[in-house]
Amino acid sequence: MKLIRFIHKGREAYGYLKEDRVEFLQGGIATGFKPTGDGAALGEVKLLSPVMPSKAVCVGQNYLDHIKEMGNEIPTEPVIFLKPPTSVIGPGDVIVRPAISDRVDYEGELAVVIGKQARHLTQENALGCVLGYTCANDVTARDIQQRDGQWTRGKGFDTFLPLGPCIETEIDPSALAIRTTLNGKIVQDSCTDQLLFKIPMLLSFITAAMTLNPGDVVLTGTSSGVGPMVAGDVVAVEIEGIGRLENRVEDM
């Protein structure tokens, strides 16, 4: 099922995609969903980010080719950081380059959407807390990240976490083609089977330190090919079986 969050006639709601139609749902991620019997054509709704997480837990340096690209050593355990909820935008929304940064990069990633509260997961039971998967762009002010020596500010600007277009709830995430395009040109092209630390291990590692709530997202890392975006660019992250997340870039 492809779950979406949208606005229709001024009302925010969840639904699921059935070809070119949206079937409306009542409820939420924490409580579950029930069909309402109503719906609308996909073109009649405005897509939003499929979740508004309390936090986005992100994993850095999780594709070997990207680790080499950045000149870093291979980590012995996951490197994690947080992005604030205020960084989240949806499909078609604008990524805003802050005036204080000279280089803002795209980073296409698979995001895990948490479906129920999770704490102290094991690798064996970790996937039981997962609702599904979506596309993400871990937008990064690279110059600020490098200057600060840690990643919070460089990755935490408003609009720096596009998510969408949907949450696919019925997919095996272990070997999905993932591609990023910039103005139609392929700039990242990989597969989730290249993850250094796999999703069950990531969820176990993260929940040993912090509780994941329904609607939280875990970004699993990016592959090689990261690069800068400038005003007027259009960046898209496409993941096999999930969909395409596209955003335009503007200057502040």
Side-chain angles (χ1 to χ4, degrees):
M1 178 186 293
K2 285 182 165 57
L3 283 172
I4 61 171
R5 193 169 68 96
F6 59 88
I7 293 177
H8 180 252
K9 296 182 177 179
R11 178 175 171 267
E12 181 182 313
Y14 270 96
Y16 68 92
L17 293 177
K18 188 175 182 180
E19 298 179 349
D20 293 329
R21 182 173 172 80
V22 180
E23 301 296 336
F24 296 170
L25 297 169
Q26 62 181 5
I29 290 175
T31 59
F33 297 100
K34 293 181 180 179
T36 68
D38 295 324
L42 179 58
E44 296 176 354
V45 307
K46 158 65 176 172
L47 288 182
L48 304 172
S49 64
V51 287
M52 281 303 298
S54 69
K55 57 187 170 297
V57 186
C58 308
V59 181
Q61 304 178 34
N62 204 26
Y63 283 79
L64 290 176
D65 56 1
H66 179 57
I67 295 169
K68 295 176 182 177
E69 173 183 56
M70 302 305 290
N72 296 320
E73 295 183 0
I74 297 174
T76 57
E77 62 181 13
V79 178
I80 65 173
F81 59 95
L82 300 177
K83 292 179 89 107
T86 48
S87 65
V88 174
I89 59 174
D93 292 339
V94 172
I95 298 168
V96 179
R97 295 174 74 252
I100 60 173
S101 175
D102 293 325
R103 173 167 170 165
V104 174
D105 286 5
Y106 54 80
E107 294 188 10
E109 307 196 14
L110 172 73
V112 183
V113 181
I114 302 303
K116 59 184 179 181
Q117 191 175 80
R119 179 79 167 127
H120 295 302
L121 295 172
T122 67
Q123 294 191 45
E124 291 71 27
N125 69 13
L127 295 182
C129 79
V130 174
L131 174 64
Y133 304 88
T134 193
C135 305
N137 190 345
D138 177 20
V139 180
T140 304
R142 191 70 67 195
D143 53 341
I144 291 176
Q145 178 194 24
Q146 294 171 346
R147 186 164 69 242
D148 286 357
Q150 53 84 26
W151 301 356
T152 300
R153 188 166 67 116
K155 289 177 173 284
F157 285 92
D158 292 353
T159 76
F160 271 26
L161 183 50
L163 294 173
C166 67
I167 303 167
E168 174 53 67
T169 63
E170 299 173 2
I171 199 168
D172 180 350
S174 60
L176 301 175
I178 177 169
R179 175 179 292 176
T180 306
T181 61
L182 187 68
N183 302 321
K185 178 183 177 182
I186 298 172
V187 288
Q188 292 183 286
D189 194 1
S190 191
C191 181
T192 58
D193 65 3
Q194 298 301 303
L195 288 174
L196 177 61
F197 302 108
K198 308 303 183 184
I199 291 170
M201 188 276 179
L202 294 177
L203 296 177
S204 176
F205 182 84
I206 291 165
T207 60
M210 67 187 75
T211 299
L212 293 174
N213 293 317
D216 283 350
V217 293
V218 174
L219 275 64
T220 55
T222 198
S223 64
S224 64
V226 300
M229 306 177 290
V230 298
D233 283 347
V234 175
V235 62
V237 180
E238 187 169 0
I239 302 179
E240 176 186 3
I242 298 175
R244 177 184 175 90
L245 169 66
E246 184 174 293
N247 300 89
R248 190 177 75 259
V249 182
E250 291 184 1
D251 286 336
M252 181 174 288

